[in-house]
PDB file of all heavy atoms in Angstrom:
ATOM      1  N   SER A 234      20.636  12.106  -2.617  1.00  0.00           N
ATOM      2  CA  SER A 234      21.778  12.924  -2.224  1.00  0.00           C
ATOM      3  C   SER A 234      22.476  13.453  -3.481  1.00  0.00           C
ATOM      4  O   SER A 234      22.306  12.903  -4.577  1.00  0.00           O
ATOM      5  CB  SER A 234      22.768  12.081  -1.424  1.00  0.00           C
ATOM      6  OG  SER A 234      23.396  11.151  -2.287  1.00  0.00           O
ATOM      7  N   ILE A 235      23.275  14.484  -3.313  1.00  0.00           N
ATOM      8  CA  ILE A 235      24.000  15.050  -4.455  1.00  0.00           C
ATOM      9  C   ILE A 235      24.897  13.994  -5.120  1.00  0.00           C
ATOM     10  O   ILE A 235      24.980  13.934  -6.344  1.00  0.00           O
ATOM     11  CB  ILE A 235      24.797  16.328  -4.054  1.00  0.00           C
ATOM     12  CG1 ILE A 235      25.533  16.931  -5.240  1.00  0.00           C
ATOM     13  CG2 ILE A 235      25.760  16.071  -2.923  1.00  0.00           C
ATOM     14  CD1 ILE A 235      24.683  17.552  -6.284  1.00  0.00           C
ATOM     15  N   ASP A 236      25.526  13.151  -4.311  1.00  0.00           N
ATOM     16  CA  ASP A 236      26.388  12.119  -4.896  1.00  0.00           C
ATOM     17  C   ASP A 236      25.572  11.114  -5.705  1.00  0.00           C
ATOM     18  O   ASP A 236      25.962  10.734  -6.804  1.00  0.00           O
ATOM     19  CB  ASP A 236      27.186  11.403  -3.800  1.00  0.00           C
ATOM     20  CG  ASP A 236      28.287  12.299  -3.243  1.00  0.00           C
ATOM     21  OD1 ASP A 236      28.899  13.053  -4.036  1.00  0.00           O
ATOM     22  OD2 ASP A 236      28.529  12.265  -2.021  1.00  0.00           O
ATOM     23  N   PHE A 237      24.446  10.714  -5.136  1.00  0.00           N
ATOM     24  CA  PHE A 237      23.576   9.760  -5.840  1.00  0.00           C
ATOM     25  C   PHE A 237      23.101  10.358  -7.161  1.00  0.00           C
ATOM     26  O   PHE A 237      23.213   9.737  -8.219  1.00  0.00           O
ATOM     27  CB  PHE A 237      22.373   9.391  -4.947  1.00  0.00           C
ATOM     28  CG  PHE A 237      21.392   8.492  -5.612  1.00  0.00           C
ATOM     29  CD1 PHE A 237      21.627   7.116  -5.672  1.00  0.00           C
ATOM     30  CD2 PHE A 237      20.237   8.998  -6.185  1.00  0.00           C
ATOM     31  CE1 PHE A 237      20.713   6.274  -6.302  1.00  0.00           C
ATOM     32  CE2 PHE A 237      19.319   8.167  -6.821  1.00  0.00           C
ATOM     33  CZ  PHE A 237      19.566   6.804  -6.877  1.00  0.00           C
ATOM     34  N   VAL A 238      22.592  11.579  -7.105  1.00  0.00           N
ATOM     35  CA  VAL A 238      22.008  12.206  -8.296  1.00  0.00           C
ATOM     36  C   VAL A 238      23.089  12.515  -9.333  1.00  0.00           C
ATOM     37  O   VAL A 238      22.907  12.272 -10.527  1.00  0.00           O
ATOM     38  CB  VAL A 238      21.209  13.480  -7.907  1.00  0.00           C
ATOM     39  CG1 VAL A 238      20.800  14.283  -9.134  1.00  0.00           C
ATOM     40  CG2 VAL A 238      19.979  13.096  -7.089  1.00  0.00           C
ATOM     41  N   SER A 239      24.240  13.024  -8.878  1.00  0.00           N
ATOM     42  CA  SER A 239      25.254  13.423  -9.864  1.00  0.00           C
ATOM     43  C   SER A 239      25.980  12.228 -10.483  1.00  0.00           C
ATOM     44  O   SER A 239      26.661  12.373 -11.489  1.00  0.00           O
ATOM     45  CB  SER A 239      26.234  14.443  -9.276  1.00  0.00           C
ATOM     46  OG  SER A 239      26.850  13.923  -8.139  1.00  0.00           O
ATOM     47  N   ASN A 240      25.801  11.035  -9.886  1.00  0.00           N
ATOM     48  CA  ASN A 240      26.377   9.824 -10.504  1.00  0.00           C
ATOM     49  C   ASN A 240      25.375   9.059 -11.355  1.00  0.00           C
ATOM     50  O   ASN A 240      25.727   8.051 -11.974  1.00  0.00           O
ATOM     51  CB  ASN A 240      26.942   8.894  -9.422  1.00  0.00           C
ATOM     52  CG  ASN A 240      28.256   9.428  -8.871  1.00  0.00           C
ATOM     53  OD1 ASN A 240      29.146   9.824  -9.628  1.00  0.00           O
ATOM     54  ND2 ASN A 240      28.371   9.492  -7.553  1.00  0.00           N
ATOM     55  N   ASP A 241      24.132   9.540 -11.376  1.00  0.00           N
ATOM     56  CA  ASP A 241      23.096   8.860 -12.156  1.00  0.00           C
ATOM     57  C   ASP A 241      23.388   9.062 -13.656  1.00  0.00           C
ATOM     58  O   ASP A 241      23.511  10.198 -14.120  1.00  0.00           O
ATOM     59  CB  ASP A 241      21.736   9.452 -11.788  1.00  0.00           C
ATOM     60  CG  ASP A 241      20.586   8.713 -12.437  1.00  0.00           C
ATOM     61  OD1 ASP A 241      20.568   8.608 -13.695  1.00  0.00           O
ATOM     62  OD2 ASP A 241      19.703   8.247 -11.707  1.00  0.00           O
ATOM     63  N   PRO A 242      23.503   7.976 -14.410  1.00  0.00           N
ATOM     64  CA  PRO A 242      23.827   8.115 -15.843  1.00  0.00           C
ATOM     65  C   PRO A 242      22.837   8.993 -16.602  1.00  0.00           C
ATOM     66  O   PRO A 242      23.236   9.738 -17.502  1.00  0.00           O
ATOM     67  CB  PRO A 242      23.777   6.673 -16.364  1.00  0.00           C
ATOM     68  CG  PRO A 242      23.908   5.802 -15.153  1.00  0.00           C
ATOM     69  CD  PRO A 242      23.365   6.573 -13.996  1.00  0.00           C
ATOM     70  N   LYS A 243      21.560   8.951 -16.237  1.00  0.00           N
ATOM     71  CA  LYS A 243      20.554   9.781 -16.930  1.00  0.00           C
ATOM     72  C   LYS A 243      20.798  11.265 -16.650  1.00  0.00           C
ATOM     73  O   LYS A 243      20.621  12.114 -17.521  1.00  0.00           O
ATOM     74  CB  LYS A 243      19.127   9.425 -16.450  1.00  0.00           C
ATOM     75  CG  LYS A 243      18.701   8.004 -16.769  1.00  0.00           C
ATOM     76  CD  LYS A 243      17.222   7.772 -16.436  1.00  0.00           C
ATOM     77  CE  LYS A 243      16.821   7.991 -14.982  1.00  0.00           C
ATOM     78  NZ  LYS A 243      17.400   7.075 -13.993  1.00  0.00           N
ATOM     79  N   VAL A 244      21.220  11.573 -15.408  1.00  0.00           N
ATOM     80  CA  VAL A 244      21.490  12.971 -15.039  1.00  0.00           C
ATOM     81  C   VAL A 244      22.738  13.456 -15.771  1.00  0.00           C
ATOM     82  O   VAL A 244      22.786  14.590 -16.277  1.00  0.00           O
ATOM     83  CB  VAL A 244      21.656  13.113 -13.507  1.00  0.00           C
ATOM     84  CG1 VAL A 244      22.087  14.521 -13.130  1.00  0.00           C
ATOM     85  CG2 VAL A 244      20.356  12.738 -12.791  1.00  0.00           C
ATOM     86  N   ILE A 245      23.736  12.583 -15.861  1.00  0.00           N
ATOM     87  CA  ILE A 245      24.967  12.956 -16.575  1.00  0.00           C
ATOM     88  C   ILE A 245      24.653  13.206 -18.050  1.00  0.00           C
ATOM     89  O   ILE A 245      25.058  14.214 -18.620  1.00  0.00           O
ATOM     90  CB  ILE A 245      26.044  11.858 -16.395  1.00  0.00           C
ATOM     91  CG1 ILE A 245      26.453  11.790 -14.912  1.00  0.00           C
ATOM     92  CG2 ILE A 245      27.252  12.130 -17.293  1.00  0.00           C
ATOM     93  CD1 ILE A 245      27.282  10.572 -14.545  1.00  0.00           C
TER      94      ILE A 245
END
Side-chain angles (χ1 to χ4, degrees):
S234 70
I235 181 69
D236 287 323
F237 176 81
V238 170
S239 57
N240 285 313
D241 186 303
K243 297 187 300 295
V244 174
I245 295 168

